[in-house]
Amino acid sequence: MTSAPLAARLTAVAGPLFFPVTAYGPDGSVDLDAFRAHVRTGIDAGAAAVFACCGTGEFHALTPEEFHLVVAAAVEETAGQVPVVAGAGYGTALAVQYAKLAEEAGADGLLAMPPYLVVADQEGLLAHYTALAAATALETIVYQRDNAVFTPQTVVALAQTPGIIGLKDGFGDLDLMQRIVSAVRTGLPGRDFLYFNGLPTAELTGLAYRGIGVTLYSSAVFAFAPDIALAFYRALEAGDDDGVNALLDHFYRPLVELRAKGNGYAVSLVKAAVRLGGLDVGEVRSPLTEPSAAHIKELTEIIASGRALLERGSDAGERG
């Protein structure tokens, strides 16, 4: 953990946000060596931040003790190069417990996952995140999705809450997000509040989110194909429409269509792809299940298609 504000650190490095998978050994226990290797690969590839034990990292499947070990390993492996943000969720009491464990492990911030199961009203959601933000000195990003969807007025209140620095949107309603951005901008002039595109494969909606000013995004692809994720990121930043569209058409859209073929594939496909890359991070824990053999074959072909695009682009650059 460093003393620099998390918001400044999250925007200081030009690159995707890295959500590593949590590695398990053959006996199903957490494999910290494999996890460290996975994190190191991402940092060396140019990750802007490491979000440990979040959705892709199977936060839901970790005991508090495992959570602490994994977050601490991420902190040690990054060694301050980029910030480490840890997940925190369930009901308020447990979310606070996980937040304190993350703080003890040296994390730089929290990604506040939706409360477990219940559908609360806006007053209850605000009370939950206010309590979580007050529980530690860690700065907090609130994750909007599923049973935690906010009105613009609630986000204005969240933005006024000490310790809450941003909103990650995994809900995907652009009309709502535009109204949220507008409400915070007009209700809190000068407030430097961060917004993140947090949809499962955020690159697919990157152009749309940039249209309303949301440029930060989480990249599940970066966990298994950082070369493809970085090529897309750079094309998007440079306004290279041909490069963006080629990757959307021949890699990201097919990947999202494959993801839609199985429940839990937003996590299990990523983990399978990491294994395809040569690092044994184990399988997902129940209740998630592994992709079918046919879908693994399709995943292999999609990754190959993405890399072929990069090679063609490189060859064209050399000829130019």
Side-chain angles (χ1 to χ4, degrees):
M1 181 176 176
T2 70
S3 58
L6 177 60
R9 297 188 70 201
L10 285 171
T11 54
V13 177
L17 305 176
F18 175 30
F19 285 68
V21 302
T22 298
Y24 306 126
D27 64 353
S29 63
V30 170
D31 185 338
L32 292 179
D33 289 340
F35 176 74
R36 288 174 184 275
H38 182 44
V39 170
R40 173 48 50 192
T41 297
I43 295 169
D44 290 345
V50 174
F51 282 67
C53 302
C54 295
T56 307
E58 296 180 81
F59 170 78
H60 69 277
L62 299 173
T63 67
E65 294 77 15
E66 290 173 328
F67 172 87
H68 186 275
L69 287 171
V70 174
V71 174
V75 170
E76 291 166 6
E77 196 61 39
T78 59
Q81 289 178 259
V82 298
V84 174
V85 179
Y90 301 118
T92 305
L94 270 177
V96 165
Q97 180 181 345
Y98 277 97
K100 290 180 177 178
L101 288 170
E103 186 173 42
E104 289 174 10
D108 297 285
L110 299 171
L111 178 63
M113 315 288 273
Y116 172 71
L117 194 60
V118 296
V119 178
D121 60 19
Q122 296 294 297
E123 181 182 359
L125 290 171
L126 182 58
H128 171 77
Y129 293 108
T130 298
L132 179 57
T136 71
L138 299 181
E139 293 174 299
T140 300
I141 299 161
V142 174
Y143 196 179
Q144 170 169 264
R145 60 174 293 170
D146 299 326
N147 59 327
V149 178
F150 309 104
T151 65
Q153 293 72 28
T154 298
V155 179
V156 171
L158 288 170
Q160 291 175 299
T161 301
I164 295 179
I165 64 165
L167 179 74
K168 178 183 177 184
D169 179 50
F171 186 57
D173 184 336
L174 285 172
D175 176 276
L176 174 61
M177 277 303 295
Q178 178 63 86
R179 289 185 289 114
I180 285 171
V181 171
S182 176
V184 173
R185 183 171 57 234
T186 56
L188 302 171
R191 173 72 167 98
D192 188 19
F193 196 64
L194 299 181
Y195 300 97
F196 305 79
N197 175 358
L199 290 171
T201 304
E203 287 91 343
L204 196 70
T205 53
L207 288 168
Y209 273 81
R210 289 178 82 87
I212 59 172
V214 179
T215 58
L216 295 168
Y217 64 89
S218 56
S219 177
V221 170
F222 190 89
F224 64 87
D227 51 344
I228 298 174
L230 280 167
F232 182 87
Y233 177 86
R234 289 165 180 159
L236 195 62
E237 288 289 300
D240 176 7
D241 291 342
D242 289 341
V244 166
N245 289 334
L247 284 166
L248 286 175
D249 292 346
H250 301 291
F251 175 76
Y252 284 102
R253 178 175 58 81
L255 180 65
V256 168
E257 289 172 348
L258 175 59
R259 190 192 70 214
K261 294 179 180 180
N263 291 332
Y265 272 19
V267 178
S268 60
L269 273 181
V270 174
K271 206 160 196 180
V274 175
R275 295 195 303 271
L276 287 173
L279 180 62
D280 187 359
V281 290
E283 298 184 348
V284 290
R285 282 181 172 174
S286 64
L288 297 182
T289 57
E290 288 297 303
S292 69
H295 290 164
I296 294 293
K297 181 177 182 293
E298 192 173 343
L299 175 62
T300 303
E301 293 168 351
I302 291 169
I303 295 171
S305 175
R307 294 216 161 103
L309 284 173
L310 302 192
E311 291 172 8
R312 288 198 290 271
S314 176
D315 291 343
E318 290 174 3
R319 288 194 300 271

